[in-house]
Amino acid sequence: MDVIASKIDTRSDTYKKNFEAMESLVEDLRKELGRARNERSEKALARLEQSGKLPASKKLELLLDPNSPFLELCPLAAKDMYDGKIHGAGLLSGIGKVGGKEVCIGINDATIKGGSAYPISVKKSLRCQTVIMENRLPSVALIDSAGAYLPLQSQMFPDADGGGRIFYNQARISKMGLPQIAAVMGMCTAGGAYGVAMCDEIVHVKGHGAIFLGGPPLVRAATGDVVTADELGGAMVHCAQSGVSDYIAENDAHAIEIVRSIVANLPSREKHLHPEVKAEPPAYDPKELYGIVSPDLSQAFDIREVIARIVDGSRFLEFKELFGPTLVCGFAHIHGYKVGILGNNGILFSDSALKATQFIQLCDRRGVPLVFLQNITGFIVGKVYEQGGITKNGHKMVNAVSTASVPKFTVLVGASFGAGNYAMCGRAYSPRFLWMWPQAKIGVMGGAEAAHVLVTITNDQNERLGKPPLTKEEEDFICSPVIEGAQKEGNAYYSTARIWDDGIIDPAKTRNVLGLALSAAGNAPVHSEPLGYGIYRM
């Protein structure tokens, strides 16, 4: 593989302007992540300390193997939703090493509404379960939850993707032979009790860990019995009498110590993906990505310059370099793992869609994971392109993306609009993981384009009705809310709050994030289903 020859002038004014802008966006991201991790009320922190419990961040620190990385999932979920204080949807989740094994971790944050679950908390839990099932990972749950946030119960209870789906998935995860370990560190009420009981092994903390279908207030209302939480579902009840729990712990730290021993005792499993070569850093500084990509999505950049700062040694074997030039495809290594990369260098034409289809098939047949780098406004439109078969050729690419069963990973490095989002493995196409850069935007189309379409439609209607075209003031009246709405709802923070992605990442850390994701994906077979494709329209 040849080293990509970078053409970036790091001394140019454009580079410096881009660098400063991206550096500012990354600093904003750090601040938002810091708020999500640390912004808690004094009352909640005092209550936690008085109860003798550990904060979620400390639990994670004790659980993980020393000096091992942690790939956090959806850290900014629920940002600016509800009252603006349900940081991370009340859950600290991600993939890390425990006892030498990669596991998916979920920790309730009891300093956020007592660990109550909101609708977005359910969505985050379901997302983590998808990660567990797709990547065949053991899971560890450190539970301290007051249950569903009752004022919003109708939004998380009865539907197919409501809270009940969590327990359904737990049964499926168990059937798949994937270990589920739980530590009861606080209240596990109603659905929380089911979630614990469906785990393989349960550690129960004395004093403040309790499991029950109905808490003391409900029991009193229903039966007249007056009982404490500990008497109803404490550690001695479930370790010595009911048999629900398997290990008794003196405190949170002791419980985590037991959990680590349980995970270390799990059978070792062979990985299905391995680094093929020794990992080496790119030939160019990944932080140069700050100066390459402009926050102004209308400013084009060569996706090869991005690839050169992500892959090992900046080496890249480009496939069909002269054909379909608006899509760059080729082979490289990331932290030693072989990958097939597809990156946008403009709008998708028929030739670039056909090129992608062939490349995806090659990678799928060879068991090579796929990495999609999205900066796409969509497929080309127009009479000549429709006559040339853009619809059926675009379908071939979408079909290939949909049916390829190797692990797929997607990073939105710029625009992600319309059917381009689909063809480049957007969330609906089940990439194992998907991330956004801070300046990336997502939507059916850009705000200005959407507004222009509406103006054109309205003027066409006016012409048919014999009315004059819109005035400038009328156009502005139509366009302003459309553009403002697109700017708000297409923003990376709006997306990540609603778990349309797995997190916003610092561009300079993209390579390491992909390396951790590739390692996690290696716990599952390379092909998730038999090889084969749907019908390609000829």
Side-chain angles (χ1 to χ4, degrees):
M1 297 184 185
D2 294 330
V3 175
I4 295 173
S6 178
K7 300 176 182 177
I8 296 299
D9 180 3
T10 58
R11 296 167 297 180
S12 72
D13 291 339
T14 299
Y15 176 91
K16 292 176 182 177
K17 181 180 177 182
N18 288 345
F19 194 100
E20 289 175 5
M22 183 64 81
E23 196 170 41
S24 176
L25 289 173
V26 171
E27 181 57 31
D28 289 342
L29 174 61
R30 291 195 189 103
K31 289 178 181 177
E32 291 298 336
L33 291 170
R35 282 189 62 224
R37 293 184 187 119
N38 304 313
E39 189 180 77
R40 304 293 184 270
S41 71
E42 292 297 328
K43 183 179 178 181
L45 292 171
R47 188 187 304 119
L48 191 77
E49 185 176 358
Q50 288 168 7
S51 67
K53 298 178 183 179
L54 296 174
S57 57
K58 184 62 178 179
K59 291 176 183 177
L60 179 65
E61 179 187 331
L62 294 175
L63 181 63
L64 292 173
D65 290 351
N67 302 314
S68 64
F70 180 64
L71 180 60
E72 189 169 358
L73 298 174
C74 312
L76 297 178
K79 174 178 162 51
D80 297 330
M81 297 173 67
Y82 311 116
D83 63 358
K85 298 177 182 178
I86 314 303
H87 300 298
L91 295 166
L92 175 56
S93 303
I95 300 170
K97 280 198 171 182
V98 178
K101 298 177 176 69
E102 283 171 313
V103 301
C104 191
I105 297 165
I107 304 174
N108 292 113
D109 191 335
T111 61
I112 298 177
K113 307 293 185 181
S116 295
Y118 282 67
I120 199 69
S121 312
V122 172
K123 186 172 183 179
K124 183 168 179 177
S125 295
L126 292 173
R127 172 60 192 147
C128 290
Q129 288 184 319
T130 298
V131 168
I132 289 166
M133 290 185 280
E134 287 184 341
N135 299 287
R136 304 294 195 273
L137 293 168
S139 62
V140 170
L142 307 185
I143 304 172
D144 185 356
S145 174
Y149 181 65
L150 293 179
L152 299 178
Q153 60 86 22
S154 65
Q155 298 178 33
M156 68 181 95
F157 172 67
D159 209 349
D161 56 355
R165 193 72 176 188
I166 294 172
F167 315 129
Y168 170 84
N169 283 345
Q170 281 189 272
R172 293 175 61 218
I173 290 167
S174 182
K175 184 178 179 180
M176 293 169 69
L178 303 174
Q180 301 173 85
I181 314 302
V184 179
M185 297 176 159
M187 295 297 108
C188 296
T189 309
Y194 291 121
V196 174
M198 295 186 76
C199 290
D200 296 22
E201 296 180 72
I202 301 168
V203 181
H204 202 137
V205 178
K206 288 166 60 177
H208 54 246
I211 307 170
F212 29 61
L213 297 184
L218 179 59
V219 168
R220 183 176 183 180
T223 69
D225 290 342
V226 178
V227 63
T228 67
D230 199 51
E231 291 169 338
L232 185 61
M236 290 305 296
V237 171
H238 289 306
C239 287
Q241 293 176 268
S242 74
V244 169
S245 302
D246 307 302
Y247 306 88
I248 193 164
E250 296 296 325
N251 50 44
D252 286 354
H254 185 211
I256 292 170
E257 184 182 334
I258 296 171
V259 168
R260 285 184 49 81
S261 297
I262 294 170
V263 175
N265 191 50
L266 295 175
S268 296
R269 295 185 301 144
E270 181 183 358
K271 278 206 168 189
H272 301 271
L273 272 180
H274 301 278
E276 291 190 358
V277 298
K278 184 178 179 181
E280 59 176 309
Y284 309 100
D285 184 356
K287 202 166 183 180
E288 289 178 357
L289 291 168
Y290 289 12
I292 293 167
V293 179
S294 172
D296 179 0
L297 298 187
S298 66
Q299 300 300 310
F301 58 89
D302 188 348
I303 199 67
R304 295 178 186 85
E305 299 287 0
V306 174
I307 295 169
R309 288 154 181 85
I310 292 175
V311 303
D312 289 3
S314 301
R315 283 187 290 273
F316 186 58
L317 177 61
E318 187 163 350
F319 177 76
K320 277 187 172 354
E321 180 180 358
L322 303 179
F323 183 80
T326 61
L327 185 71
V328 174
C329 301
F331 298 98
H333 292 89
I334 296 178
H335 281 279
Y337 292 93
K338 182 184 283 186
V339 295
I341 297 176
L342 297 92
N344 301 116
N345 250 358
I347 203 164
L348 286 165
F349 289 82
S350 277
D351 54 1
S352 46
L354 292 172
K355 170 180 171 178
T357 302
Q358 181 184 359
F359 182 70
I360 291 167
Q361 287 181 300
L362 286 175
C363 290
D364 197 31
R365 289 283 168 180
R366 297 173 185 176
V368 178
L370 291 161
V371 175
F372 295 82
L373 302 176
Q374 283 199 21
N375 182 29
I376 180 65
T377 54
F379 285 93
I380 192 68
V381 297
K383 180 179 177 181
V384 66
Y385 301 109
E386 292 295 350
Q387 292 173 342
I390 183 61
T391 298
K392 71 176 182 181
N393 292 325
H395 135 77
K396 292 169 188 171
M397 180 178 177
V398 170
N399 192 319
V401 172
S402 303
T403 54
S405 61
V406 292
K408 294 171 284 190
F409 309 88
T410 303
V411 185
L412 275 58
V413 302
S416 179
F417 294 134
N421 169 278
Y422 300 159
M424 289 296 291
C425 201
R427 189 64 135 183
Y429 288 75
S430 294
R432 293 289 180 90
F433 300 93
L434 183 149
W435 299 278
M436 297 182 76
W437 284 3
Q439 91 298 351
K441 289 183 171 56
I442 187 170
V444 174
M445 62 180 72
E449 291 79 7
H452 181 70
V453 168
L454 289 176
V455 168
T456 301
I457 291 172
T458 304
N459 278 330
D460 288 346
Q461 290 173 338
N462 286 348
E463 185 177 358
R464 288 195 298 272
L465 296 171
K467 295 181 178 181
L470 296 171
T471 65
K472 178 66 168 60
E473 291 73 17
E474 289 171 331
E475 286 187 7
D476 290 343
F477 182 78
I478 291 174
C479 292
S480 293
V482 174
I483 293 172
E484 289 173 10
Q487 289 174 340
K488 174 187 174 184
E489 296 176 5
N491 182 275
Y493 287 106
Y494 190 92
S495 168
T496 207
R498 287 152 184 81
I499 315 184
W500 298 349
D501 56 64
D502 292 311
I504 303 172
I505 58 173
D506 178 347
K509 295 181 180 178
T510 303
R511 163 184 167 77
N512 290 339
V513 167
L514 284 169
L516 291 172
L518 282 158
S519 179
N523 289 279
V526 173
H527 289 289
S528 58
E529 56 191 36
L531 289 171
Y533 297 90
I535 301 299
Y536 287 145
R537 290 193 58 82
M538 303 307 291

